[in-house]
Amino acid sequence: MAFSFSLSTPTIPTLLFTLSLLLSFLTTPASSATFNCSATTTCQSLIDYVPENTTTLNAIKTLFNISHLRTLLGANNLPLSTAPTQNVTALQKILIPFTCLCSNGTGVSNKRPQYIVKPGDDLDHIATVVFSRLVKYQEIAAVNNIPDPSLIGIGKKLWIPLPCSCDEVNGERVVHYGHVVEAGSSVEAIATKYGTDQETLLRINGIADPKTLQANQVLDVPLKACSSSVSNNSLDAPLLVSNNTYVFTANNCVKCQCSPANNWTLQCEPSTVNSTGCPAMQCQGSSQLFLGNTTTSGCDQTTCTYAGYTNKTNILTTLATQSTCAAPPPDNNNNASRMGLQGSSWSFLFAAIHLALLLLHVLQ
Ligand SMILES: *[C@@H]1O[C@H](CO)[C@@H](O)[C@H](O)[C@H]1NC(C)=O
Ligand SMILES: *[C@@H]1O[C@H](CO)[C@@H](O)[C@H](O)[C@H]1NC(C)=O
Ligand SMILES: *[C@@H]1O[C@H](CO)[C@@H](O)[C@H](O)[C@H]1NC(C)=O
Ligand SMILES: *[C@@H]1O[C@H](CO)[C@@H](O)[C@H](O)[C@H]1NC(C)=O
Ligand SMILES: *[C@@H]1O[C@H](CO)[C@@H](O)[C@H](O)[C@H]1NC(C)=O
Ligand SMILES: *[C@@H]1O[C@H](CO)[C@@H](O)[C@H](O)[C@H]1NC(C)=O
Ligand SMILES: *[C@@H]1O[C@H](CO)[C@@H](O)[C@H](O)[C@H]1NC(C)=O
Ligand SMILES: *[C@@H]1O[C@H](CO)[C@@H](O)[C@H](O)[C@H]1NC(C)=O
Ligand SMILES: *[C@@H]1O[C@H](CO)[C@@H](O)[C@H](O)[C@H]1NC(C)=O
Ligand SMILES: *[C@@H]1O[C@H](CO)[C@@H](O)[C@H](O)[C@H]1NC(C)=O
Ligand SMILES: *[C@@H]1O[C@H](CO)[C@@H](O)[C@H](O)[C@H]1NC(C)=O
Ligand SMILES: *[C@@H]1O[C@H](CO)[C@@H](O)[C@H](O)[C@H]1NC(C)=O
């Protein structure tokens, strides 16, 4: 850590501050962490926020400097119709979406959230109470070039550097999620819940012994992102959307969601958010299909999928065809079990499509 106390000219406030920090260090478990990030880029990340007191979605949106409520709703897979005044009870986890910036091998939230110092605040209170230990006061001091943490003026704007990463994990692009460990949890259980493995979690978090895991520790958990057809030169490339979240892209003209029920393939459709400025999203090479439409012809199922955008008027689409009759015809003697298997993956797909349609209907 670049920051250190200057003890050459100790002042009473400094000493009191140091004492209070020592005390708080003894009574609260260390929890925040820095995540390695060697990529030279920005990306979208997630982190848990566990409010100490009952609050509202709107207050969380403001605290974390999120531009639009829909971004917060999408990260939590909440319906778009959710009211901003919706209560969030104390200790209920909310996922905070933010842009991650990698610099000097470490990932931190990109200049946001900005927090304005209030009367009675000190850096330790801001780090441990307001931002519930997602950062350390030293990290706030370092990125804001504060030489003396006991001297922060009321009204000063502070950048709160939340931990994050943009690095690939096991050769895959993922969404890094700062998971706040619950009491009684284990590395193994967290790995299983989020579709990764214990070795990966231990390695990327620099943990030697899984038994040292502590409640409230912020763990870097790589989430699998849905595969997409977004091209490299798209302004939103690589569009990484994780399990059970949705995002708006292409000037809010397109809504994309990721659901394991859709076989981890990103599902995009025209959104209703930007009602004025969106181009027609007719599929290139098809006069009838628009973004999100699917047609079936014999065994082939063709979907008009999102392929990115390059400017305000140019939203790219592509026709993705999937053959749905790969399996051989069932053998009369045990068609029940074979049909059962095929049927279940199909009913899954149908359920997913119906769910998506239903959701769309509800949201409108
Ligand atoms: C972030 O916070 C700063 C300071 O409170 C404010 O000026 C700015 O408008 C906020 N931005 C967003 C996107 O909420
Ligand atoms: C949130 O909680 C307050 C106080 O507990 C209550 O008055 C209010 O109706 C709640 N808001 C919603 C949207 O449920
Ligand atoms: C990165 O590290 C170098 C050398 O340690 C330092 O000079 C520079 O200020 C750091 N940059 C940031 C953004 O922290
Ligand atoms: C939660 O409420 C308590 C008691 O009112 C207060 O001391 C504390 O600062 C509050 N926490 C936050 C994060 O506002
Ligand atoms: C996907 O999300 C669901 C619900 O949020 C969760 O139960 C499931 O474990 C997640 N799966 C993976 C592989 O992350
Ligand atoms: C993070 O990067 C540093 C420097 O490259 C390395 O020494 C350390 O082992 C890395 N930590 C993890 C958890 O990968
Ligand atoms: C996209 O990037 C990948 C990896 O960098 C590269 O292999 C591929 O050729 C690129 N595709 C296009 C269309 O530029
Ligand atoms: C799911 O996706 C994988 C790889 O993208 C593909 O091989 C597999 O056939 C798909 N399964 C279904 C049921 O569509
Ligand atoms: C709507 O789209 C137009 C053009 O694509 C863009 O200029 C405008 O900023 C968008 N509005 C919103 C609210 O995203
Ligand atoms: C194609 O997509 C458009 C836009 O989402 C929708 O209005 C239309 O009903 C769809 N058509 C078919 C045949 O699914
Ligand atoms: C947007 O991109 C398309 C295709 O590259 C191009 O034809 C069009 O002129 C561009 N429009 C603007 C406003 O830049
Ligand atoms: C094969 O499946 C059909 C339809 O599910 C069923 O009516 C028939 O009895 C099954 N035949 C055998 C041999 O199980």
Side-chain angles (χ1 to χ4, degrees):
M1 187 50 56
F3 167 76
S4 68
F5 279 112
S6 160
L7 289 177
S8 52
T9 53
T11 57
I12 287 186
T14 307
L15 289 174
L16 284 176
F17 186 73
T18 310
L19 193 66
S20 83
L21 284 174
L22 278 173
L23 288 174
S24 71
F25 178 76
L26 292 173
T27 53
T28 59
S31 53
S32 73
T34 53
F35 296 174
N36 273 6
C37 190
S38 53
T40 48
T41 179
T42 60
C43 65
Q44 290 307 306
S45 287
L46 296 167
I47 195 164
D48 276 331
Y49 171 61
V50 187
E52 187 178 282
N53 300 320
T54 293
T55 179
T56 64
L57 286 175
N58 217 13
I60 295 173
K61 167 185 169 287
T62 304
L63 180 62
F64 286 93
N65 238 199
I66 301 166
S67 318
H68 297 286
L69 184 70
R70 59 176 170 271
T71 312
L72 184 58
L73 296 177
N76 291 279
N77 212 19
L78 292 167
L80 259 185
S81 55
T82 308
T85 52
Q86 170 89 44
N87 287 334
V88 175
T89 55
L91 306 185
Q92 180 186 343
K93 270 189 183 181
I94 289 286
L95 282 166
I96 305 299
F98 64 96
T99 305
C100 181
L101 168 71
C102 299
S103 144
N104 276 359
T106 300
V108 289
S109 51
N110 190 8
K111 311 286 183 209
R112 292 270 188 271
Q114 261 181 27
Y115 177 79
I116 297 178
V117 177
K118 294 180 180 58
D121 273 345
D122 60 51
L123 280 194
D124 182 55
H125 178 259
I126 295 168
T128 60
V129 179
V130 181
F131 287 95
S132 64
R133 294 195 291 266
L134 296 175
V135 288
K136 290 192 181 83
Y137 80 90
Q138 294 96 325
E139 289 155 357
I140 302 178
V143 299
N144 292 284
N145 299 313
I146 296 173
D148 184 350
S150 68
L151 297 175
I152 50 164
I154 293 163
K156 185 175 169 58
K157 280 186 184 169
L158 296 176
W159 161 23
I160 309 299
L162 304 171
C164 58
S165 179
C166 298
D167 286 354
E168 289 186 358
V169 173
N170 300 333
E172 272 191 65
R173 304 204 71 140
V174 295
V175 176
H176 286 263
Y177 157 48
H179 172 77
V180 173
V181 175
E182 284 146 42
S185 189
S186 69
V187 178
E188 185 79 66
I190 295 166
T192 304
K193 180 166 181 191
Y194 295 104
T196 179
D197 55 76
Q198 171 158 304
E199 289 67 43
T200 301
L201 288 185
L202 295 177
R203 176 169 45 80
I204 69 173
N205 287 283
I207 299 175
D209 177 2
K211 292 196 193 73
T212 60
L213 189 75
Q214 293 192 342
N216 294 323
Q217 183 176 344
V218 184
L219 205 62
D220 182 1
V221 175
L223 300 179
K224 182 179 165 73
C226 266
S227 63
S228 80
S229 311
V230 172
S231 76
N232 295 346
N233 62 354
S234 173
L235 294 176
D236 56 2
L239 184 60
L240 297 171
V241 185
S242 61
N243 182 22
N244 283 318
T245 68
Y246 63 85
V247 298
F248 292 90
T249 185
N251 292 310
N252 293 309
C253 291
V254 175
K255 179 188 179 200
C256 296
Q257 60 184 35
C258 176
S259 151
N262 290 323
N263 196 20
W264 294 98
T265 303
L266 196 63
Q267 309 284 306
C268 302
E269 64 195 20
S271 94
T272 49
V273 169
N274 194 338
S275 52
T276 50
C278 299
M281 286 169 254
Q282 194 170 18
C283 227
Q284 277 138 15
S286 166
S287 52
Q288 304 93 33
L289 292 184
F290 287 81
L291 181 63
N293 289 161
T294 294
T295 55
T296 307
S297 149
C299 280
D300 289 341
Q301 194 183 52
T302 302
T303 306
C304 178
T305 58
Y306 175 64
Y309 77 112
T310 57
N311 64 40
K312 281 187 178 189
T313 53
N314 194 36
I315 292 180
L316 308 170
T317 52
T318 183
L319 290 170
T321 300
Q322 202 186 4
S323 178
T324 54
C325 322
D331 148 18
N332 268 354
N333 287 331
N334 65 3
N335 74 0
S337 66
R338 280 171 179 250
M339 285 304 287
L341 256 179
Q342 287 181 341
S344 75
S345 72
W346 270 111
S347 56
F348 226 79
L349 196 67
F350 276 118
I353 290 168
H354 278 110
L355 204 70
L357 286 173
L358 189 74
L359 201 68
L360 195 69
H361 191 73
V362 169
L363 295 181
Q364 276 166 351

